[in-house]
């Protein structure tokens, strides 16, 4: 299911990191609710190139400090943590938000753009969609 350099469960620190990022782009209550949904979400697989396209983010260079750190993890046989995603247009012009794992996606892209990445994906509940 997952490629050889991915673990299936997120690291404990991924959820607070996702909350910190999400609280910058939505209110704190919504961020906390989304993180709780992410905790209970099951893993699904997407390719690195598709995650970048759907998020609208460019791939970071190989020499980016955090991307290089993830390269080193893979090189040393350590597995990367799955990425945490939020789907839905709650942020203007963004259908997919990478709540945690952007650098891991980029590192994986440089290893193989078709890499199968385990992700936890949640949809923004309709009642919580942000106003324009």
């Amino acid at each position: 299911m997952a490629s050889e350099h991915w673990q299936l469960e997120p690291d404990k620190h991924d959820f607070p990191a996702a909350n910190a990022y999400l609280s910058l782009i939505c209110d704190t209550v919504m961020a906390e609710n989304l993180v709780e949904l992410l905790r209970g979400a099951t893993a699904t697989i997407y390719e690195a190139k598709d995650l970048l396209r759907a998020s609208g983010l460019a791939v970071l260079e190989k020499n980016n400090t955090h991307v290089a750190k993830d390269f080193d993890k893979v090189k040393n046989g350590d597995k990367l943590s799955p990425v945490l995603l939020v789907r839905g247009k709650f942020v203007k012009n963004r259908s997919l938000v990478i709540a945690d794992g952007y650098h891991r996606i980029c590192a994986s892209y440089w290893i193989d753009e078709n890499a199968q990445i385990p992700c936890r994906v949640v949809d923004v509940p309709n009642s919580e969609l942000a106003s324009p």
Side-chain angles (χ1 to χ4, degrees), residues 13-81:
H13 68 267
D14 292 344
F15 295 108
N19 188 58
Y21 177 72
L22 290 171
S23 68
L24 291 171
I25 61 173
C26 64
D27 68 64
T28 56
V29 172
M30 184 176 181
E32 289 170 3
N33 289 341
L34 290 168
V35 169
E36 281 309 306
L37 290 171
L38 285 164
R39 286 182 192 278
T42 56
T44 187
I45 304 294
Y46 291 99
E47 291 185 358
K49 65 183 179 189
D50 292 337
L51 291 170
L52 291 170
R53 283 185 346 174
S55 70
L57 298 173
V59 64
L60 295 171
E61 294 297 323
K62 291 179 185 180
N63 63 357
N64 173 282
T65 303
H66 300 289
V67 173
K69 180 179 164 186
D70 288 329
F71 267 129
D72 288 343
K73 284 182 181 179
V74 173
K75 183 178 168 184
N76 293 329
D78 297 330
K79 293 186 177 190
L80 302 176
S81 179

Side-chain angles (χ1 to χ4, degrees), residues 76-101:
N76 293 329
D78 297 330
K79 293 186 177 190
L80 302 176
S81 179
V83 298
L84 305 176
L85 308 169
V86 178
R87 183 174 40 212
K89 290 194 177 218
F90 78 108
V91 178
K92 186 177 180 182
N93 298 323
R94 290 179 64 193
S95 301
L96 183 72
V97 171
I98 301 170
D100 186 66

